[in-house]
Amino acid sequence: MKEYTVAVAGATGAVGNEMIKTLEQRKFPVKTLKLLASSRSVGKTISFRGEEIKVEELNENSFKGVDIGLFSPGGSVSLKFAPIAAASGCVVVDNTSAFRMDPDVPLVVPEVNEDAIKNYKKKGIIANPNCSTIQMVVVLKPLHDAAKIKRVVVSTYQAVSGTGKKAIHELEQQILAIYANKKVENKVYPYQIAFNCLPHIDSFIENGYTKEEMKMVNETKKILEDDSIAVTATTVRVPVFYGHSESVNIEFEREITPDEARKILKKAPGVKVVDDPSKNLYPLAIHAAGKDDTFVGRIRKDESIAHGLNMWIVADNIRKGAALNAVQIAEVLIKKYL
Ligand code: NAP
Ligand code: 12T
């Protein structure tokens, strides 16, 4: 079997770390693994398949001889270095928001639009969608195929790990400070996140929405290849470490009952239906953490409109929402194109 030289850019981060684990767990055919981060991390080592690999500083020369680059070093770093990597023949799978809406960059969730990968040669870059979008579209896609979605209203309950390792530390420290009756400090978020909910993810734009909310609107249409679907979102940070939860209201063109939806979703790739309220069974962030599937439950009729359903969708934001989806894209790349 062919083996590939793979670089992980942002290797010391929350997403990069999970990418390294995912490559190992899924036995991705890695010949050589290059770990790239900022100058701050030079000297660190990270273990891969029982071997300690040195972290190198990401620079213009990092991608010579590299076949695949899994990127999560932050938007501005990706914007600069993904094209440099692509120019030296490395195919980049980028996890940041830098290229997602570029018409020459495929935006891919393999269970939904694997075929879009074929356009990767235009820029040598494939974008990984936003975590909140990924878990929603794996559920929307089979329902859209069955009864055509007209409109989606989503509210999210997003874990701090989505912001990175500094935010995970901030929630831990705030919880400890509160129990010790010490002063609560906040650096990453504008307010205390412990025991709180912040209706604010990424920055605000002129229309009053946040960028995170508009990512869900725009990326959903691009991935489902249907601009006619209306989407509106409210994205909220909650004091959860791993796992994003979403309350999703869907209006369809045609009638679809909760039973039909459950039947369709039971067969959908990457989806697990957890929906038995009589036994208190519904998806939970603490159960989704560390898992690959997207979990859906609380499927019920929206009795206020003609053809509507409500549901609750949960996935591990660092795994399916980031690292796993990126590695799945790389798996399709090597199977079909490299
Ligand atoms: P993180 O935990 O803060 O890690 C950031 C990583 O980027 C670290 O490895 C850091 O290296 C590296 N980095 C920072 N500045 C750099 C520079 N100038 N040159 C090279 N490397 C640099 O953040 P994260 O949660 O892993 O997220 C990283 C990126 O992934 C973000 O852009 C985020 O938008 C994206 N992301 C996407 C999703 C998604 O929805 N698909 C989910 C989460 C995150 P040092 O350790 O050396 O500082
Ligand atoms: N600000 O990849 O803070 O666009 O949870 C993902 C997660 C941006 C992104 C977060 C963010 C992205 C967050």
Side-chain angles (χ1 to χ4, degrees):
M1 191 183 193
K2 200 170 161 193
E3 293 189 321
Y4 300 83
T5 297
V6 178
V8 176
T12 53
V15 174
N17 243 297
E18 196 67 27
M19 284 171 165
I20 297 163
K21 275 198 226 160
T22 308
L23 288 169
E24 179 167 337
Q25 285 167 355
R26 294 174 72 89
K27 302 190 165 49
F28 193 88
V30 176
K31 182 167 65 197
T32 310
L33 185 66
K34 282 189 90 165
L35 302 182
L36 306 169
S38 79
S39 55
R40 296 178 290 272
S41 295
V42 173
K44 283 187 190 161
T45 63
I46 299 176
S47 138
F48 175 67
R49 300 193 302 213
E51 184 194 340
E52 288 297 317
I53 300 180
K54 283 196 182 118
V55 178
E56 300 168 49
E57 183 179 358
L58 171 65
N59 64 37
E60 274 85 355
N61 304 317
S62 299
F63 301 97
K64 296 212 173 89
V66 176
D67 302 307
I68 298 167
L70 302 178
F71 272 56
S72 65
S76 59
V77 180
S78 279
L79 206 54
K80 178 173 174 198
F81 285 99
I84 292 173
S88 69
C90 167
V91 183
V92 173
V93 182
D94 183 44
N95 246 289
T96 77
S97 54
F99 300 98
R100 288 180 191 147
M101 296 314 295
D102 184 327
D104 292 333
V105 172
L107 181 65
V108 179
V109 178
E111 292 89 340
V112 178
N113 65 336
E114 180 184 305
D115 281 351
I117 294 179
K118 66 176 182 287
N119 297 321
Y120 81 93
K121 279 189 181 145
K122 286 185 184 157
K123 290 214 165 148
I125 302 169
I126 301 164
N128 203 67
N130 177 261
C131 36
S132 304
T133 309
I134 292 175
Q135 66 181 66
M136 184 166 80
V137 295
V138 296
V139 172
L140 293 185
K141 169 66 175 169
L143 299 175
H144 186 48
D145 289 344
K148 196 159 195 305
I149 295 172
K150 279 169 75 174
R151 179 167 184 252
V152 176
V153 181
V154 53
S155 298
T156 69
Y157 305 68
Q158 296 185 219
V160 296
S161 53
T163 318
K165 57 188 174 184
K166 288 201 181 81
I168 297 169
H169 183 73
E170 180 150 302
L171 176 57
E172 281 166 357
Q173 289 306 309
Q174 289 181 354
I175 293 167
L176 292 173
I178 288 163
Y179 280 108
N181 253 319
K182 287 187 186 144
K183 189 172 172 291
V184 174
E185 292 183 44
N186 60 289
K187 293 201 188 85
V188 176
Y189 297 119
Y191 298 96
Q192 175 184 317
I193 181 63
F195 308 101
N196 203 5
C197 298
L198 309 178
H200 176 185
I201 296 182
D202 208 339
S203 46
F204 285 100
I205 56 174
E206 316 78 58
N207 65 359
Y209 285 79
T210 61
K211 284 187 183 168
E212 186 79 351
E213 288 160 350
M214 296 317 295
K215 287 174 217 164
M216 294 195 78
V217 173
N218 298 320
E219 293 177 18
T220 298
K221 296 175 193 219
K222 180 167 174 177
I223 299 162
L224 295 177
E225 292 164 6
D226 190 344
D227 279 338
S228 75
I229 302 176
V231 182
T232 188
T234 303
T235 57
V236 181
R237 185 81 57 196
V238 296
V240 167
F241 285 106
Y242 293 95
H244 289 354
S245 305
E246 302 178 340
S247 162
V248 184
N249 174 267
I250 313 167
E251 183 178 0
F252 296 90
E253 296 257 329
R254 296 187 281 281
E255 176 64 15
I256 176 167
T257 65
D259 274 342
E260 281 165 5
R262 274 186 286 266
K263 219 169 122 190
I264 290 164
L265 292 170
K266 273 181 191 154
K267 288 189 264 169
V271 176
K272 276 235 154 65
V273 177
V274 180
D275 196 10
D276 191 350
S278 73
K279 298 197 175 92
N280 291 348
L281 285 176
Y282 32 74
L284 293 176
I286 57 167
H287 294 156
K291 304 268 169 52
D292 287 350
D293 285 314
T294 296
F295 299 87
V296 59
R298 297 296 321 279
I299 300 169
R300 61 209 193 275
K301 201 169 158 52
D302 173 355
E303 295 174 338
S304 73
I305 53 174
H307 308 302
L309 293 176
N310 281 309
M311 57 194 68
W312 181 248
I313 303 172
V314 182
D316 184 323
N317 54 301
I318 297 298
R319 241 181 126 74
K320 184 55 188 168
L324 170 64
N325 197 72
V327 172
Q328 286 177 305
I329 291 171
E331 287 170 351
V332 177
L333 257 178
I334 63 168
K335 189 178 80 192
K336 290 194 177 171
Y337 306 102
L338 294 184

